Amino acid sequence: MTDNSPVDGLLTDFFEAVNLRDLARCQTSLAKLDRLAVDDAAAGHWSAYCHAILLFEDKRDWAAAERIFVELLAMPLAPALHARVLYALGRTYIVQARWQAAIDAYGKLAAFAQRHEQPVEFIKAQRQIAAAYCKGFIQGDFDEAALRQGVVHGEEALHGLATLDEAAPSSTLRWLAGSIWNTLGALHTYLEAWEDALVCYEEDLAIAQELDDRHGTGITLNNIAEVRHRQGGDIGTTALPAYLQALQLVQEFGNAYEEIDVHRNLGRLYVDLLAPDQARQHYEQAIDLIERLRTGVSSGDGRSGFFSTVVNTYGEMVALLLQSGETSQAFDMTERARSRTFIELLAGQSESPSSEQSI
């Protein structure tokens, strides 16, 4: 990562701890890095980056992390760190549902990576652009043309991966390949190209199982189940078992965001299976997770962006309550969603000047 072995060791330990969600170990490594930063400007840059990563991962203060990343990009960073900061900045835009800003950040990363001969960073940028187009379409901010543009970037990422001179691909590159297949699967799903989507997801699933990645397996099973659900037919046999296995795996790893998605998907499936009680249970669990996550996001701007990606869950719950004749409960749920949306809108507006200045 750097030419400084003490810094390298601390960074390796820090990022391993981040992946393990070991906050105490993160703080210990970061405190040591901060001490090195007193006399080492490069260590100071990495220290600021790591502090922003903790703000993003632990505090969910995405606006504060964004400000640090933007400030760092104005400094003379080492190429490896500059690429990492651009990538992380794109992530802050993604979680705040700022799709075009994310696409722009990853476009800059792709161009930077080509200039500095960083092929893996170029591939990662292409994959993230594809994902941003897909997520923006899901939220209604882009039209179908964005999906096709996303496919172009996803295929560009696969092409870049194939051209790397790797006789024995590392687990990191295999994981990256899986993530690209997963993104292409999502794009084909929303293009309603079901068979293409399943081919992509099966490729991703094979890689996750090869790497013994149980968390990735859970995410991919959720996606496969969603395609089979959308295809119709005997969804109780084709989709339900995969959803239930996915739920078990994402819960095992504490991925609340993915768990919301699986619960919402199970709610939809049980509605289609004419099982309203089971549907209601899953919608209630999804909404409970949404509200717990929402209150854990530090900035109003971040809460607003996050809530915009999950608010449809409330609407689906309202529709279910109305179908069951529970008019009063449906009204209460509508007001609950409306109050959350209004609160987040006000919070986002109150913080927008500082947010805009940091772009």
Side-chain angles (χ1 to χ4, degrees):
M1 279 180 263
T2 73
D3 295 326
N4 185 329
S5 56
V7 173
D8 279 349
L10 291 172
L11 290 172
T12 298
D13 191 67
F14 174 84
F15 289 115
E16 285 180 357
V18 169
N19 290 335
L20 295 170
R21 298 294 191 267
D22 187 341
L23 181 59
R25 183 176 161 193
C26 285
Q27 296 287 9
T28 298
S29 297
L30 192 50
K32 293 177 182 177
L33 185 59
D34 286 343
R35 287 195 287 273
L36 290 177
V38 173
D39 300 312
D40 185 337
H45 295 156
W46 280 100
S47 173
Y49 169 74
C50 291
H51 278 285
I53 291 295
L54 274 190
L55 285 169
F56 182 98
E57 297 285 354
D58 180 51
K59 302 297 184 184
R60 298 192 180 93
D61 191 344
W62 300 320
E66 176 190 335
R67 286 192 290 273
I68 294 174
F69 294 141
V70 171
E71 289 167 2
L72 279 170
L73 289 172
M75 300 177 184
L77 304 178
L81 179 55
H82 190 98
R84 279 177 173 258
V85 173
L86 277 170
Y87 185 89
L89 179 62
R91 289 182 68 206
T92 68
Y93 293 141
I94 289 284
V95 295
Q96 295 178 76
R98 294 162 63 186
W99 317 118
Q100 191 57 56
I103 290 166
D104 292 345
Y106 290 124
K108 290 177 182 177
L109 173 58
F112 181 85
Q114 284 187 310
R115 289 197 305 273
H116 291 271
E117 299 183 351
Q118 298 174 322
V120 174
E121 296 305 320
F122 174 81
I123 293 163
K124 288 163 64 177
Q126 294 292 338
R127 182 256 166 185
Q128 289 287 10
I129 292 171
Y133 276 123
C134 187
K135 291 175 181 178
F137 173 83
I138 294 169
Q139 296 307 313
D141 296 321
F142 294 146
D143 61 18
E144 190 174 292
L147 295 177
R148 289 188 284 272
Q149 188 64 34
V151 170
V152 171
H153 286 279
E155 291 178 345
E156 180 70 19
L158 278 182
H159 175 73
L161 203 57
T163 60
L164 288 181
D165 185 17
E166 288 283 333
S170 67
S171 59
T172 299
L173 289 181
R174 292 297 287 153
W175 180 90
L176 180 55
S179 71
I180 296 167
W181 282 116
N182 188 286
T183 300
L184 281 167
L187 289 160
H188 286 304
T189 296
Y190 287 101
L191 286 167
E192 299 186 3
W194 309 124
E195 295 305 322
D196 288 339
L198 285 174
V199 166
C200 293
Y201 285 139
E202 292 293 347
E203 290 279 357
D204 180 30
L205 182 62
I207 292 171
Q209 292 173 338
E210 169 195 326
L211 297 175
D212 194 25
D213 179 4
R214 289 171 58 78
H215 179 239
T217 297
I219 292 172
T220 305
L221 284 170
N222 181 38
N223 293 330
I224 289 172
E226 187 174 357
V227 174
R228 290 174 175 163
H229 185 182
R230 288 174 172 233
Q231 280 182 302
D234 185 8
I235 57 176
T237 300
T238 61
L240 180 57
Y243 275 143
L244 293 175
Q245 188 180 355
L247 181 61
Q248 178 184 353
L249 288 168
V250 299
Q251 286 176 329
E252 177 183 329
F253 287 88
N255 186 338
Y257 296 96
E258 190 69 19
E259 187 178 346
I260 289 168
D261 193 49
V262 182
H263 278 304
R264 183 170 51 216
N265 284 339
L266 278 164
R268 292 167 179 166
L269 183 79
Y270 280 120
V271 167
D272 291 341
L273 291 173
L274 304 180
D277 291 341
Q278 291 96 320
R280 180 170 180 167
Q281 289 173 12
H282 285 287
Y283 279 127
E284 286 175 344
Q285 289 180 76
I287 290 169
D288 180 60
L289 283 167
I290 287 168
E291 300 203 343
R292 279 163 38 198
L293 283 177
R294 183 188 65 84
T295 57
V297 177
S298 300
S299 72
D301 203 33
R303 285 194 301 273
S304 179
F306 164 67
F307 197 72
S308 72
T309 67
V310 295
V311 69
N312 287 347
T313 308
Y314 289 81
E316 292 175 23
M317 181 64 162
V318 168
L320 177 63
L321 292 169
L322 290 173
Q323 290 171 10
S324 303
E326 299 178 71
T327 307
S328 177
Q329 292 90 331
F331 176 79
D332 290 344
M333 183 60 64
T334 301
E335 290 303 304
R336 186 171 166 185
R338 188 183 317 221
S339 66
R340 298 292 186 274
T341 304
F342 183 64
I343 290 169
E344 307 309 357
L345 177 63
L346 289 179
Q349 287 176 341
S350 68
E351 298 192 15
S352 60
S354 60
S355 176
E356 289 298 321
Q357 289 169 7
S358 66
I359 293 175

